[in-house]
Amino acid sequence: MITIFLTFLKIGFLGFGGGYAMLSLIFQESETLGMTVQQFADLNALDGLIPGPIAINSATYLGQLYGGFWTALAATAAVCVPSLVFVPLYMHFEQRINDNWFLTAILDGIKPASAGLILAVALSLMLLTVFGINGLGAWRSAHLDWSSLLVLGVVFFLDAKYHVNPVWLILLAGVIGAVVYYL
Amino acid sequence: MHKNWILFKVYLTAGTFTFSGGMAMLPMIERQLVNQYHLIDRDTLYEYTTLSQTFPGVIALTNACFLGKKINGTKGMIAAGIGAILPAFVLMLAATIAYQLIPQKGVIISIMAAIRAASAAFLFSAAYSLARYNLRDAASILLALACFLLTVFNLASAPTLIVAAAVVGILLSVTKRRAAKA
């Protein structure tokens, strides 16, 4: 529980630039906590179904999986700490740090970085779901799963191009999965 | 109605009806805090919203804390903050418990496999939109590419890369400011 609390404290303070920047941190940290790539993929799907910030949803999910209610609460509280620290601090010193160019500068570096980081996470999930392997190192044992590739392509297209509500896309994926099973 | 109660209620409803967090809840907040309850003016709301996106942490929560504190001090900050995170916590807790109860066999394995593929697709889509809005010059493209490759080949961890990217951002900005002055 203390490990999870500290992990999410770290994620919160490094989590500049929104949910997806944090998600790549969560992906790596959750691996060290013993979470599988499957469980991470399920977390991301649940995040599409449940309203709320990605970081809060992830903290609750990991906490609940690894220690139950109180760990979930501790993880969620940890990820909230940065807001509760920086907001009063900023309000207190507002007049003196009106020129916050360095915050914008940090963000200018982190936004492009998070695009690359989240693409790497996406690739990991694709290797697992479409090729059945954990990481590029295992490429010899890769085998192509056509139905997963189809789902991935269709969902990406509908999400990136038409911004279809993720709830419908997850339902659609579920239906395809069921149909493939009975074929 | 008491200010704290209004703040709690506004952020609670906004948090319940906005998916994927972030500032998707802004229009709802604006309608209620500015138009309905007149607790804050529109310009201040937007100023703090922009500001909250530059701080580390959960953006929606930072936003709630800023406006809560502005409107009614520390008590307002706590009321708005709890309102902003409570729906996500409660709903995700219920969803995770339900998820743990799902038996992993038969057709469910096949359904879950397809949903995981969809999950991968969401991340590709997120990477695509992040890239589209943030990769504007050679420096940012190089930075994104470096982060991608270093992660894929396990050469650097995500926290290291984020700190490095922040340093690069500051250095680039300092260079630009120098160039502008010269």
Side-chain angles (χ1 to χ4, degrees), chain A residues 12-13 15 22 28 41-42 44 49 51-52 56-57 64 69 76 83 86 90-91 94 100 105 109 112 116-117 136 152 159 173 177, chain B residues 16 18-19 21 48 51 56-57 62 66 85 89 92-93 97 99-100 110 114 116 119 121 125 127 143-144 151-152 158 165 169 173:
Chain A
F13 278 103
M22 272 198 222
Q28 286 193 352
D42 296 341
N44 190 44
L49 294 173
I56 305 281
N57 288 349
Q64 171 63 26
F69 177 80
T76 306
S83 308
F86 288 119
Y90 182 86
M91 295 286 230
E94 196 171 3
N100 58 334
L117 287 169
L136 278 175
L152 201 156
D159 191 41
Chain B
T16 310
T18 359
F19 287 82
Y48 279 114
L51 191 63
T62 307
F66 264 130
I85 54 171
F89 178 71
M92 194 65 184
L93 194 66
I97 293 170
Y99 161 79
Q100 287 175 303
S110 183
R116 282 170 193 151
S119 177
S125 176
L143 192 57
T151 310
V152 167
S173 164

Side-chain angles (χ1 to χ4, degrees), chain B residues 157-180:
Chain B
S157 71
T160 317
L161 289 172
I162 285 187
V163 173
V167 173
V168 170
I170 291 176
L171 288 177
L172 283 176
S173 164
V174 169
T175 335
K176 270 182 206 157
R177 285 159 73 91
R178 285 247 173 89

Side-chain angles (χ1 to χ4, degrees), chain A residues 103-113, chain B residues 134 140 143 165 169 172-173 176:
Chain A
L103 282 174
T104 325
I106 288 177
L107 217 60
D108 282 346
I110 285 179
K111 282 278 185 179
Chain B
N134 296 296
S140 58
L143 192 57
L172 283 176
S173 164
K176 270 182 206 157

Side-chain angles (χ1 to χ4, degrees), chain B residues 32-136:
Chain B
Q32 298 200 6
L33 286 185
V34 178
N35 302 347
Q36 195 180 341
Y37 295 109
H38 308 288
L39 285 176
I40 200 156
D41 62 272
R42 188 180 317 260
D43 290 345
T44 319
L45 179 87
Y46 276 101
E47 186 192 320
Y48 279 114
T49 301
T50 316
L51 191 63
S52 55
Q53 285 165 330
T54 63
F55 279 82
V58 185
I59 294 175
L61 176 64
T62 307
N63 178 267
C65 288
F66 264 130
L67 293 168
K69 187 142 172 83
K70 190 79 188 169
I71 289 167
N72 204 25
T74 305
K75 280 181 189 154
M77 175 176 105
I78 290 165
I82 291 177
I85 54 171
L86 198 60
F89 178 71
V90 171
L91 293 171
M92 194 65 184
L93 194 66
T96 310
I97 293 170
Y99 161 79
Q100 287 175 303
L101 295 174
I102 298 173
Q104 302 281 333
K105 58 183 177 200
V107 65
I108 292 173
I109 292 181
S110 183
I111 291 175
M112 297 289 275
I115 290 177
R116 282 170 193 151
S119 177
F122 291 142
L123 293 181
F124 276 110
S125 176
Y128 170 70
S129 57
L130 272 171
R132 220 173 64 165
Y133 294 112
N134 296 296
L135 305 189
R136 295 174 188 282

